Amino acid sequence: MSDRYKTILLFGPPGVGKGTQGKILARIPGFFHSSTGDIFRNLDAQSELGRLFFQYSSRGELVPDDVTMKIWNQNLYANTHLGLFKPHADLLVLDGLPRSVNQASLLYRYCDVRCIIHLVCRNKEALFERMRKRAMKENRVDDAQPEVIRRRFEVYERETIPVLEFYKSMNITEIDAMRSPAAVLREILDAIVPIQETHYRELGNLG
Ligand code: ADP
């Protein structure tokens, strides 16, 4: 059996609800949610890495790939040692990674991507509005300024959308994200429950 993590990718533009859905999935046994945005925000803001993150995120830019992959790896390692992530039993739900084709190729040695959930919203204005509200609620500097939000979308279109091409031979499920969280969740579950059932069967956990 491959030692790579069995992985589900939550993919989509900033503000589309990847974090909301990832956090819900994390409450279900057998799923482990890993969000690079959350990992970065949890860094000590005064530390060297915390300052580096601020430098990029406050401009709407991506943190360099080598730093991102290293911090993500360390975080997963720590969660594994704490017994919070069980690599063989859990499906890893990745949120915010990969955000570039280079990250997707660096991820290959760690992750066996089983499915991609593409949360889609064609109404950019609606996403801007969600982000403005989120910035106030969660005190996120990256979403507080309209120019930074615009920059984040440019980066998404230039760097992140091509990731879909990288995974074009994979099972990509497109879901309309502009509905209630429960309606979006239902469609995500339709796509990923069969993957978990297959995984559990492979592990011998199901009849
Ligand atoms: P959102 O939920 O709005 O898509 P995130 O919380 O995932 O945003 O990310 C916030 C910021 O953290 C990004 O703008 C970027 O600066 C940094 N970041 C998160 N994930 C990555 C990544 N995979 N590569 C580089 N930078 C990242």
Side-chain angles (χ1 to χ4, degrees):
M1 209 159 83
S2 155
D3 272 344
R4 295 185 300 155
Y5 310 127
K6 307 275 180 313
T7 303
I8 292 163
L9 295 188
L10 291 180
F11 190 88
V16 81
K18 303 183 295 293
T20 302
Q21 295 295 332
K23 286 188 184 82
I24 299 172
L25 295 178
R27 304 298 298 266
I28 305 174
F31 293 103
F32 183 81
H33 174 222
S34 172
S35 152
T36 40
D38 287 348
I39 295 171
F40 283 135
R41 276 184 292 278
N42 283 332
L43 293 170
D44 172 1
Q46 304 308 323
S47 66
E48 199 183 322
L49 283 174
R51 282 203 296 266
L52 188 82
F53 165 61
F54 182 80
Q55 198 185 315
Y56 286 94
S57 63
S58 61
R59 287 189 274 129
E61 303 284 343
L62 297 182
V63 176
D65 292 345
D66 54 340
V67 179
T68 299
M69 296 306 294
K70 192 167 154 203
I71 295 183
W72 170 74
N73 233 320
Q74 286 175 348
N75 180 276
L76 220 50
Y77 181 83
N79 275 299
T80 305
H81 282 262
L82 290 168
L84 299 172
F85 172 47
K86 298 178 187 65
H88 288 289
D90 291 341
L91 288 174
L92 180 64
V93 177
L94 271 191
D95 156 8
L97 183 76
R99 259 180 154 100
S100 66
V101 171
N102 186 44
Q103 289 185 4
S105 53
L106 291 171
L107 209 61
Y108 180 82
R109 60 183 277 222
Y110 304 105
C111 293
D112 170 7
V113 176
R114 292 291 168 108
C115 155
I116 296 163
I117 302 293
H118 182 188
L119 298 178
V120 181
C121 170
R122 310 212 188 274
N123 181 350
K124 253 196 212 173
E125 273 314 308
L127 284 182
F128 274 39
E129 195 42 42
R130 272 192 184 184
M131 290 169 79
R132 268 195 291 268
K133 284 191 187 141
R134 178 171 77 173
M136 284 187 280
K137 227 168 66 190
E138 298 175 15
N139 195 20
R140 285 184 54 159
V141 284
D142 51 347
D143 296 343
Q145 311 281 338
E147 321 79 78
V148 179
I149 298 184
R150 250 191 302 280
R151 181 79 193 121
R152 296 191 67 202
F153 277 92
E154 281 167 20
V155 171
Y156 176 73
E157 275 155 23
R158 198 190 61 223
E159 300 284 334
T160 311
I161 295 267
V163 170
L164 287 174
E165 183 63 20
F166 182 92
Y167 291 115
K168 66 172 185 278
S169 63
M170 299 269 329
N171 168 10
I172 302 182
T173 303
E174 274 202 8
I175 295 177
D176 174 7
M178 292 321 267
R179 288 173 309 149
S180 67
V184 175
L185 176 66
R186 183 166 52 195
E187 285 204 37
I188 294 179
L189 289 174
D190 281 347
I192 68 176
V193 167
I195 294 171
Q196 191 185 43
E197 296 257 299
T198 305
H199 179 51
Y200 274 21
R201 236 175 253 118
E202 282 167 5
L203 290 172
N205 289 356
L206 287 182

